[in-house]
Amino acid sequence: MRLGPKAPVRANHPSATVGRILITLFVSGFADYGRKRAALLGQFLITLSTALFAIAMFLPSGLAIPTYIVAQGLQGMSGIGILDQIVAGDVALILNDSVAVYSRKGIVSAMIMALLIPIIVYVQYAEITDFTWVWSGIVGLNSVAMALIYLFFPETLNKKQNDDKKEKENLSIIGVAKDEVKTFKKIITTHPYVGYRLGEEFLVKMADASAIGMPFLMAQFHFSQFDALVYNFVPGLVGGVLLGGLVAKWCGQYGTRRVWRNSFFYHRSTSIANAFLMPVAIFGIPYPLVAGLVHLPLAGFPALIQAVEIRLVGQETNAKFQAMSQLMSFFSGAITSWLYSQIFYGEARSYFRVVAPYALSAFFMLLNIVPFLLKTGPMQMNECDRLDQEAKKKWEEEQEKAAQEKKASGPELTEEASSPLKTETETTEASTELEAKQEAVKTQEEKKED
């Protein structure tokens, strides 16, 4: 496969992108009137989308292409991704243990992906052309998910907050989208954290050069497409399952502030250094694979970020914040997919030309440190301190409760412990009394004989 100056980057149909933007705005508003309703709507759309994908295989090309486009649009309009973040935030606040909630969520997500990725890899390896059974299975799984949401999905929105909402006069996607844009503008200008955090996250997204990850392995290290797929994704998934809880464990041992600060600067510094080592092979191992292994200990760091952010943002603003984050990801993803594919040149041989796209990534990563130091970092560190204080208070309360329970059960234990001794004494006394009576009877019998 020849990789020229402009390596192809796979993109979704524009209908899917438009659908994602509209549904993101709609879900952020609709979810404020009940998470379950939004989940049912999103799962219905994605189930319908997979059904249309399956049907399109049996249609003539004149009908299959429009059906495929509609299915792509519906898939983009599911809104499940943003709703997942909204509900996770609700649960974290309800349980008042955001670090544990997001840590477990990350591990479970990695485990699910670890189960699904081998299926995807097998489909790629076997070069399957008939996807009838594949799509049938996907439609079946989504139908089951739809039923489970309807039967068991709890309403996680705060009841008082839900009751305080007035009924929407216009629940059309366009109408809700317009209202949400106005709300976004107000939140960005008034909230002390959201605006700066979105700016910081935009710079992080701009540093994401994953769009050229597989083409780079194929061009510089002569990987096949299948090998590039395996080596690019599998190590991270395995690390997510095995090491996803490591950061949460460190927080308990060394303190959340210290772990956050060290993880942040470790990630940023290694990302910048990795950018200039990409063409290198260490003991025959391509450095892009080594770079992934370097970050494996931080598999749980995104969960810690989410755990702290939900406390800074709050439930009432969380749906809007997640929607703005997702829209920003759409925007930055479109830029990076085009930008890095334009800079990447598969036939480059000079070192500086090869690392050019990754050097740009390192620049954005370095730039990202500025808002952290000036604005978002201090707020995040203060919230980390509050997390540690609450955890310490909870631990002290548990210890005090355990001590009280032990003290309350003390007299009972003493009485129970002494009861065997009492029983033994009583038995000895009864035995002595019986022997005395027997001796008295014997003496009387002897006197009668005399």
Side-chain angles (χ1 to χ4, degrees):
M1 176 180 179
R2 182 181 181 276
L3 294 172
K6 296 180 181 180
V9 178
R10 185 177 179 272
N12 290 319
H13 194 276
S15 63
T17 303
V18 174
R20 286 191 182 97
I21 293 173
L22 289 176
I23 202 63
T24 298
L25 293 169
F26 179 76
V27 169
S28 70
F30 191 58
D32 285 341
Y33 297 83
R35 312 303 201 211
K36 184 170 184 175
R37 286 192 292 177
L40 284 169
L41 175 62
Q43 188 58 42
F44 171 75
L45 291 176
I46 200 169
T47 303
L48 181 59
S49 169
T50 56
L52 289 176
F53 276 125
I55 293 171
M57 295 188 299
F58 303 99
L59 298 176
S61 59
L63 293 175
I65 294 176
T67 304
Y68 173 80
I69 293 173
V70 172
Q72 278 277 68
L74 290 174
Q75 191 175 58
M77 293 181 69
S78 68
I80 290 296
I82 178 179
L83 194 63
D84 166 62
Q85 295 297 328
I86 294 172
V87 173
D90 293 343
V91 175
L93 292 174
I94 291 170
L95 297 179
N96 196 26
D97 194 359
S98 55
V99 175
V101 169
Y102 280 104
S103 178
R104 291 166 190 158
K105 176 180 176 290
I107 294 173
V108 171
S109 299
M111 291 176 66
I112 293 173
M113 290 303 298
L115 294 174
L116 294 178
I117 284 294
I119 300 174
I120 299 172
V121 170
Y122 172 75
V123 171
Q124 180 79 14
Y125 175 76
E127 298 182 354
I128 295 174
T129 56
D130 184 5
F131 289 90
T132 303
W133 291 106
V134 175
W135 279 114
S136 298
I138 293 174
V139 173
L141 287 173
N142 279 285
S143 300
V144 171
M146 181 80 178
L148 292 175
I149 289 174
Y150 178 77
L151 294 173
F152 303 109
F153 189 91
E155 180 55 66
T156 59
L157 181 63
N158 181 279
K159 187 177 185 301
K160 183 177 184 303
Q161 182 181 345
N162 196 9
D163 292 341
D164 290 342
K165 292 283 185 181
K166 63 180 181 180
E167 291 295 328
K168 274 188 177 292
E169 297 178 357
N170 184 8
L171 278 178
S172 68
I173 293 180
I174 302 298
V176 175
K178 289 181 179 178
D179 293 339
E180 288 304 290
V181 171
K182 295 178 183 178
T183 305
F184 292 169
K185 182 178 179 181
K186 181 179 179 181
I187 292 174
I188 290 174
T189 55
T190 60
H191 200 281
Y193 178 77
V194 170
Y196 294 111
R197 175 56 183 158
L198 290 174
E200 178 190 356
E201 188 65 17
F202 177 75
L203 293 174
V204 174
K205 297 292 185 183
M206 288 299 296
D208 182 12
S210 59
I212 62 170
M214 287 180 60
F216 187 87
L217 284 172
M218 296 165 68
Q220 295 298 320
F221 300 99
H222 310 293
F223 276 36
S224 66
Q225 186 175 359
F226 174 75
D227 291 339
L229 175 67
V230 173
Y231 286 106
N232 212 29
F233 293 106
V234 172
L237 290 174
V238 175
V241 174
L242 299 179
L243 302 176
L246 194 58
V247 169
K249 183 179 179 180
W250 286 341
C251 288
Q253 292 179 340
Y254 306 109
T256 308
R257 169 188 279 264
R258 182 179 178 184
V259 172
W260 179 297
R261 185 179 62 248
N262 292 345
S263 297
F264 178 88
F265 285 109
Y266 175 81
H267 178 270
R268 299 307 189 259
S269 60
T270 53
S271 297
I272 294 170
N274 289 343
F276 299 97
L277 296 172
M278 283 298 184
V280 178
I282 299 178
F283 300 110
I285 303 174
Y287 193 81
L289 307 183
V290 177
L293 297 176
V294 167
H295 285 162
L296 284 186
L298 299 182
F301 187 44
L304 178 59
I305 295 174
Q306 293 172 322
V308 171
E309 280 189 343
I310 186 60
R311 295 165 59 93
L312 288 168
V313 173
Q315 187 182 43
E316 65 280 0
T317 312
N318 185 39
K320 317 299 182 188
F321 175 67
Q322 297 300 334
M324 287 186 281
S325 297
Q326 185 156 303
L327 290 172
M328 183 266 297
S329 296
F330 294 156
F331 180 64
S332 60
I335 296 175
T336 55
S337 294
W338 174 83
L339 180 61
Y340 289 111
S341 65
Q342 292 297 312
I343 300 174
F344 173 64
Y345 181 57
E347 297 179 353
R349 291 295 173 262
S350 70
Y351 169 79
F352 293 104
R353 187 66 184 87
V354 170
V355 301
Y358 290 104
L360 179 62
S361 171
F363 170 74
F364 282 117
M365 191 62 72
L366 180 63
L367 202 60
N368 154 259
I369 299 176
V370 177
F372 172 80
L373 293 175
L374 298 179
K375 290 294 182 180
T376 59
M379 288 185 277
Q380 291 164 348
M381 294 300 100
N382 290 336
E383 199 61 40
C384 287
D385 291 339
R386 293 190 188 97
L387 273 171
D388 287 339
Q389 290 170 3
E390 291 174 6
K392 182 180 179 181
K393 183 178 179 182
K394 183 179 179 181
W395 179 82
E396 290 175 348
E397 290 175 351
E398 290 176 352
Q399 294 295 313
E400 183 179 354
K401 184 179 179 181
Q404 290 176 352
E405 291 177 352
K406 184 177 180 181
K407 183 178 179 180
S409 61
E412 297 177 2
L413 291 174
T414 304
E415 185 177 349
E416 292 176 0
S418 62
S419 60
L421 296 176
K422 289 182 178 180
T423 304
E424 184 178 354
T425 303
E426 292 171 356
T427 303
T428 305
E429 292 176 352
S431 178
T432 305
E433 184 178 353
L434 179 61
E435 290 177 358
K437 289 181 178 180
Q438 290 176 347
E439 185 67 26
V441 171
K442 184 178 179 182
T443 304
Q444 290 178 358
E445 289 178 353
E446 290 177 352
K447 286 181 178 182
K448 288 180 180 181
E449 290 178 357
D450 295 337

